Amino acid sequence: MFRTALRNVLAHKARLLMTVLAVMLGVAFVSGTLVFTDTLGNAFRKQTAKSFDSTAVVVSSPTRDSGGGPTETGLSTAALKKIQGADGVAEATGRVSGFAGVADQKGKLIGSGWTNTGANHSPGKDGEDDAYDFADGSGPVKADQVALDRATADKGEYKVGDTVRVATNGPAKDFTLSGVFTTDDGAVNAGGSLVLFETGVAQKLYLKPGHFSEINVVAAGGTSDEKVLAAVEPLLPEGAKAETGAALADKQAKEIESGLNHLNTMLLAFAAIALFVGVFLIANTFTMLVAQRTKELALLRAVGASRGQVKRSVITEAAVVGAIASAVGFLLGLGLASGLRAVMGSLGMELPAGRLVISSTAVLAAFGVGVLITVLAAWLPARRAARIAPMAAMGSAHAVATTKSLVVRNSIGGVITLAGAAAILAGAAAKGGDGRMLIGAGAFLALIGVIVLIPLLSRPVIALVRPGLRRVFGVAGNLAGQNAVRNPRRTGATASALAIGLTLVTGLTVIGVTVGQAIDKMTTDHVRADYVVTMASGDPLDSSALAALEKADGVSAVSGQQAFFLKIGGEERAVSAVSPTDVDEVLRLKTVAGSLDSLADGQVAVAEETAEKNGWKPGDTLSASFARDGDPKKTEQRKLTVGAVYEKNEFVSPFVVSAAVVAAYDPTPDIREIWVSMDGGETAANEQALVKALGDNPGMNIMDKQELRDEFGGMINDMLNIMYGLLAMALVIAVLGVVNTLAMSVFERQQEIGMLRAIGLDRGRVKRMIRLEAVVISLFGALIGVGLGGFLGWAIGETLRSSIPEYTLVLPWERLGLFLLLAGVVGVLAAMWPARSAARLNMLTAIKTE
């Protein structure tokens, strides 16, 4: 029987090729994902270990909570000297770092903002900083000098001696390039830049003079890291923390592994979808192969083969096919892993060098998944083949499902579908993350239930379009409609593959379009300003930027949005400090009660929801606790009068006060953005005026309203495009399923097609009949998918409604129509080979076929 199974594999190469493709794609995704993340994780772990190679101990700065989160207080030069004199310490180096962006020759920022870093160059006794290898020039030793990493210098076309414009959180300044170095810094590998300053300059920029963020300690020869740690710990200032370099390397490696796990999970989820869709193709393929070999299997039964042997023969055949597909898929997965590295490199993320890591887990997972999926998908066709009696099989191409089996199937499908729908509705009502978890479970049940019910649904749904097919396409259309429901199980299996893919695509599209429109409406309704200015790094803006914009030509109104925290009623509250005279000119703060003019008198405006929750109204007095310089130990109680209640605005906090109210308590204001209105609105000249006012600072983003919309909506569109790309693989497998079903249909109807040709149906109409059958099946699956996907999109949207104020469900009819059109095109393309085969059948040979 094993030899028989191998012979059958080789005897049906074209049919089995489709199964191999279906399994291969899913396995490639599984193996490629595992190899890619293993390779990436290993490379980063090695890089992390290398960065701490010579570091015995790292001392971190003490922090304090200023209300907005922990801030560094710094390690003093005196603390550094104490540590340098500790037993077993060969060298101790102070480090301080923060944002620094480099402008290219056109004044544009090199890198992506958050990956642009500045640090201090700290030479040792030999005049060299062991952390950096200089390929050209040397480190900065003067206040007007900087050094750049090699990649940034190349991108900016800079060489030693050139003038380089560097942006930090303050005004941009010009420096002389003293040297170019190479580094394994993670920020540079992620596509960013690294600027080295003279230590005193870096301290002023990022912390305060004479202080460091951390101290790196190198052990003397023969001294263990633990001994150095024991010697250093008693010397630490209060709140400082010391760890060995090895411990920090391990910690960072685990953080990297945790971050990669999210990527791993997402990619494996799409691989699972592809394999799930592939199950239907594999089951159809083996059903077709069993149908083609019915008499052969019956003959085996007649000469003594048992049901178990017949069943094992088909399953063995499936295992062989699965193993071949897994081997090819694994090799394809290695190519996919290499391709992903190349793609990330082309996007500017220079990943650490290293060979592909092929773990035993990746190999076992690839072959285990491939073979298991194929065998499971072939099990039902094998079971049906084994149950056909020898004499019955001699005269029948396939067994007809009994009424009892159909009733049981439909009953089970109905119960599962109702349970899934109930869970989805409950999740939509529950809101939030818990609701989405419930919707996910319900979606899985609903998909399974609909898949079970699709054969039952196919007859009434397709019956609705048959009259139209008959009227438009005549005999060919009528026959296509009849053929589409001739074998409901097979039609259902084919339609299911398309339905799964389009359910996910439609659901994502509905959510993406709805959220995108809500963000667009939120921007339109809540913002009056023509421009918003932010730091590319996401850090706060320096107050000098606000002062410069207030004096800029053409500016009619300007207000910063300064983040501040205070305690009201013992509860920490987020506050937006703004310009009281201009805030209503740049933001739409719709007052429900009182007036925003009261901000100029030192009063507070409160969001409507917060005011209602606490029973506050204009004229009420609130007791507020202000922390001076962000120190919770230095607090001052003040009375604030509620001057206005306003409708919720996403661009400000629930409490709004004048910047003058908090100025005495916050000498370094945390300005997150600056809103600007200009005479003449959004024009190229006005934007250039802002650029000039800000000192041609490459580290500052100046966004108009459309760019502000894109800032939020662009992320959603990027996510959707990635999802579409990943789900395209599932749709490719679904197309192969349509090809399979039509090929099987043509095989079973050879005699019928021959008779139709004999009584006058020409080749053109035979092709048309097969194509229309494919279109009908494809559109049937697409309609199911679009309907279920729209339902899921609505349900998930309900869980987001509370966090997106302007949320209103949007059904993108043009995209849904495009999905249906593409499904029809899929049907036409999938029918090309089966239609050609049917049209080329010899009439006499086909009529004689049993």
Side-chain angles (χ1 to χ4, degrees), residues 605-630:
V606 184
E608 183 179 16
E609 185 179 351
T610 304
E612 288 180 353
K613 183 179 178 181
N614 293 275
W616 295 329
K617 60 185 182 301
D620 288 350
T621 301
L622 311 180
S623 178
S625 176
F626 289 75
R628 190 173 292 278
D629 298 334

Side-chain angles (χ1 to χ4, degrees), residues 379-711:
W379 179 80
L380 194 56
R383 184 170 173 269
R384 287 176 184 163
R387 294 180 67 182
I388 299 174
M391 295 310 296
M394 289 291 186
S396 176
H398 55 84
V400 178
T402 64
T403 303
K404 180 181 177 182
S405 70
L406 291 175
V407 169
V408 171
R409 175 191 178 113
N410 295 334
S411 299
I412 293 173
V415 170
I416 295 174
T417 303
L418 288 173
I424 292 170
L425 291 171
K431 314 291 185 187
D434 292 338
R436 288 190 285 276
M437 292 290 290
L438 198 55
I439 289 171
F444 179 74
L445 289 175
L447 267 176
I448 296 296
V450 168
I451 288 167
V452 174
L453 285 176
I454 273 185
L456 175 66
L457 297 172
S458 64
R459 288 187 183 277
V461 173
I462 294 176
L464 294 174
V465 300
R466 280 177 61 187
L469 290 173
R470 184 167 54 248
R471 282 195 296 271
V472 177
F473 299 102
V475 174
N478 189 40
L479 290 171
Q482 291 177 346
N483 293 332
V485 292
R486 175 173 291 190
N487 190 328
R489 286 177 183 270
R490 195 163 62 224
T491 297
T494 305
S496 295
L498 279 168
I500 293 168
L502 282 174
T503 293
L504 297 169
V505 169
T506 302
L508 289 170
T509 300
V510 169
I511 296 168
V513 171
T514 300
V515 173
Q517 184 162 309
I519 289 172
D520 190 72
K521 189 173 186 297
M522 181 177 71
T523 304
T524 303
D525 290 355
H526 292 174
V527 176
R528 296 181 192 271
D530 299 310
Y531 297 97
V532 58
V533 179
T534 62
M535 287 298 297
S537 62
D539 292 328
L541 288 151
D542 190 78
S543 56
S544 61
L546 180 59
L549 290 172
E550 288 173 340
K551 300 173 184 176
D553 293 337
V555 171
S556 59
V558 60
S559 176
Q561 201 277 87
Q562 177 184 341
F564 188 75
F565 290 85
L566 52 78
K567 283 188 177 181
I568 297 177
E571 186 177 343
E572 201 81 43
R573 305 281 189 169
V575 176
S576 289
V578 299
S579 169
T581 55
D582 288 357
V583 65
D584 198 39
E585 297 297 319
V586 295
L587 295 174
R588 297 182 191 273
L589 292 178
K590 300 176 183 177
T591 53
V592 176
S595 171
L596 290 176
D597 293 339
S598 61
L599 292 175
D601 299 326
Q603 297 183 5
V604 60
V606 184
E608 183 179 16
E609 185 179 351
T610 304
E612 288 180 353
K613 183 179 178 181
N614 293 275
W616 295 329
K617 60 185 182 301
D620 288 350
T621 301
L622 311 180
S623 178
S625 176
F626 289 75
R628 190 173 292 278
D629 298 334
D631 188 347
K633 295 179 180 178
K634 300 177 183 177
T635 59
E636 181 180 320
Q637 297 295 320
R638 281 187 58 177
K639 299 293 183 181
L640 290 177
T641 301
V642 177
V645 175
Y646 61 91
E647 290 183 8
K648 185 176 181 181
N649 185 307
E650 290 300 309
F651 295 99
V652 293
S653 301
F655 293 83
V656 176
V657 297
S658 168
V661 172
V662 301
Y665 306 97
D666 195 5
T668 54
D670 184 0
I671 303 172
R672 291 295 164 177
E673 61 257 343
I674 301 173
W675 302 93
V676 185
S677 291
M678 302 193 74
D679 298 329
E682 299 173 14
T683 66
N686 278 343
E687 185 171 343
Q688 190 56 41
L690 296 183
V691 171
K692 184 178 179 181
L694 292 169
D696 294 313
N697 191 322
M700 292 184 184
N701 287 332
I702 301 173
M703 295 183 286
D704 58 27
K705 285 184 180 178
Q706 186 56 51
E707 288 170 329
L708 181 61
R709 295 185 189 105
D710 294 342
E711 180 80 7

